[in-house]
Amino acid sequence: MPKEWLLENAVLHGFKASGWVFSCATILANHVGSLPWRVWERNSAGDLIMIPNHDLEFLIEHPNEHQTRSFQMKLRTLFIALGGNALDKIVSIGPRRNPTPAELWPMRPDSVRAVPVKEGWLKEWEVRNRAGGTRETLDPAVVCHAQAYPDPADPYWGMSPLRAIGKTVDMDVSQIQWNRELVENDAAPAGVFQDPGIHSEKDRKLVKAVLKRHFSGPLHAREPLVLSGGAQWHQLGISPRELDWIESRKFTVGEICTAFGLLTSRFLMDAATYNNLATAVRYEWENGALPIAGVIGDGLAQKLLTLEERRRGMRILPDTSGVPVLREDVHKAAESFERLVRSTVPPQTAASIVDLPVGVLPAGDR
């Protein structure tokens, strides 16, 4: 099993090997990939207001001629969840001093290396061509970089949630393999076959091959063994440790879900009540998908927006108004707002009490 949970190992030994890791990562990717993205700006009251029909909104929706916004957002989410980093190359057109971003192309994080300067931040990005083995360097200005969690030991490169639970995932994959072998071996009675007529290693291998051919596998499940001469069969059962390994997978999924920002009620049927599932879906949006969407948006804004625009409070974020589970509190807040106003609380004060994003209300202090 891998010692370093970099992207290639994370995909091979985690995403493609553990059902828990695959489910958590794809749930988050589908959530983020389903959202439309907008450019926002803060008004005088400090509220984020959407800028309609912004050029960057069109760029994110149509990043290049071969990929869609949904595909790229899913890919960025998987890169971040599994490898800790998502990087995009910006292709611009127009004059060199004031180019216009025209295309976005995702890059495999395990093909990119940060080259820092002695004093300051980044000198360049080094990109390795995995097909031909050649290398090119990119100016930091043309690379959007989103990190899941900054690695204190390497601030230029992000750390994925999967890296922190690598040993847990290793154990889960080993348990899956153990359980698989246990089922396959238990299709025939597991135990010890003793035959006093076996006198050599050749005899032992011959008898074992015959038993395996005629009595093992699903087609011969629980067929009685017919023994000859003085041969004896001793039945063996599953040990308490093996039973504990099977049960411990429920605890394994809890640790994996926690790292990705999900709840175990998403997967374990004994906790899958309607209320638990509704809570789990909302939880995974607020603690899994939206934080990843936030770092993706920050990475895009860092290079697609100018420093002046960022200082004015402009941001690139998804529009979550179409997500039903995230609208529930708005409806409840609106009901509370109405009750407060009917009880003579000024509308602006009532909106602040229930945290309702209404902006500045005309005559709101009356």
Side-chain angles (χ1 to χ4, degrees):
M1 288 298 175
K3 294 182 180 180
E4 288 292 333
W5 282 87
L6 303 178
L7 181 64
E8 188 169 352
N9 283 334
V11 172
L12 181 62
H13 298 286
F15 186 68
K16 294 183 178 180
S18 170
W20 305 138
V21 174
F22 174 83
S23 298
C24 290
T26 52
I27 285 172
L28 298 179
N30 288 333
H31 284 344
V32 178
S34 68
L35 296 172
W37 286 67
R38 308 283 186 249
V39 181
W40 309 76
E41 187 171 14
R42 293 196 181 276
N43 61 14
S44 58
D47 299 320
L48 279 174
I49 306 299
M50 183 179 66
I51 303 175
N53 302 320
H54 196 281
D55 290 343
L56 292 181
E57 179 183 323
F58 182 85
L59 173 64
I60 295 172
E61 188 67 28
H62 307 281
N64 59 61
E65 61 179 330
H66 298 291
Q67 298 171 338
T68 64
R69 178 261 304 161
S70 177
F71 171 81
Q72 283 201 356
M73 287 300 174
K74 288 180 181 179
L75 191 61
R76 292 184 184 106
T77 302
L78 292 175
F79 279 156
I80 289 175
L82 301 174
N85 300 268
L87 300 103
D88 291 271
K89 180 180 178 181
I90 306 170
V91 177
S92 300
I93 58 175
R96 180 176 298 179
R97 290 187 176 182
N98 190 25
T100 301
E103 293 182 344
L104 293 173
W105 291 92
M107 298 184 291
R108 279 189 55 160
D110 53 348
S111 298
V112 183
R113 184 178 70 89
V115 182
V117 295
K118 291 183 179 179
E119 296 180 1
W121 194 239
L122 277 181
K123 176 184 178 182
E124 60 193 14
W125 292 99
E126 185 179 87
V127 184
R128 175 169 55 91
N129 186 329
R130 301 178 66 85
T134 58
R135 298 177 184 271
E136 67 170 326
T137 57
L138 296 176
D139 190 295
V142 301
V143 176
C144 298
H145 180 208
Q147 297 187 41
Y149 302 98
D151 185 349
D154 184 6
Y156 302 98
W157 201 242
M159 188 182 79
S160 71
L162 189 59
R163 193 167 185 177
I165 55 170
K167 292 183 179 179
T168 301
V169 176
D170 281 345
M171 182 176 66
D172 183 59
V173 173
S174 297
Q175 287 174 335
I176 294 171
Q177 185 65 27
W178 177 273
N179 294 343
R180 175 184 173 183
E181 297 296 334
L182 184 65
V183 171
E184 291 186 353
N185 291 335
D186 198 45
V192 178
F193 178 77
Q194 291 184 330
D195 187 347
I198 298 176
H199 301 290
S200 66
E201 180 65 16
K202 182 179 179 180
D203 293 340
R204 188 190 68 80
K205 289 182 177 180
L206 178 61
V207 172
K208 185 176 181 180
V210 171
L211 287 172
K212 186 173 183 180
R213 183 167 62 252
H214 293 287
F215 293 102
S216 67
L219 294 178
H220 305 288
R222 296 306 178 186
E223 284 187 356
L225 286 173
V226 180
L227 308 179
S228 61
Q232 294 182 349
W233 171 258
H234 300 280
Q235 180 74 29
L236 298 179
I238 300 175
S239 68
R241 184 177 66 176
E242 291 169 336
L243 289 173
D244 185 63
W245 282 11
I246 297 173
E247 184 66 20
S248 68
R249 288 205 68 213
K250 293 183 179 180
F251 297 95
T252 301
V253 66
E255 191 169 348
I256 294 174
C257 285
T258 299
F260 283 104
L262 280 75
L263 295 177
T264 54
S265 53
R266 231 352 183 121
F267 308 111
L268 300 181
M269 295 307 297
D270 53 357
T273 65
Y274 178 80
N275 288 335
N276 285 348
L277 285 175
T279 301
V281 173
R282 183 178 181 86
Y283 185 91
E284 69 199 26
W285 272 100
E286 294 179 339
N287 297 275
L290 293 185
I292 290 179
V295 300
I296 291 175
D298 288 344
L300 294 173
Q302 190 71 22
K303 296 300 164 63
L304 296 178
L305 296 174
T306 65
L307 178 59
E308 181 182 350
E309 289 173 330
R310 297 198 302 275
R311 285 176 174 172
R312 291 206 315 262
M314 290 182 63
R315 298 191 66 185
I316 299 175
L317 292 171
D319 181 3
T320 61
S321 61
V323 182
V325 295
L326 299 179
R327 292 203 308 262
E328 290 179 2
D329 284 352
V330 175
H331 294 314
K332 293 178 182 177
E335 294 173 357
S336 300
F337 171 80
E338 181 182 10
R339 287 195 296 268
L340 288 170
V341 172
R342 286 182 180 276
S343 64
T344 71
V345 176
Q348 199 70 60
T349 303
S352 299
I353 292 173
V354 299
D355 196 22
L356 193 63
V358 295
V360 179
L361 297 171
D365 292 330
R366 294 184 184 176

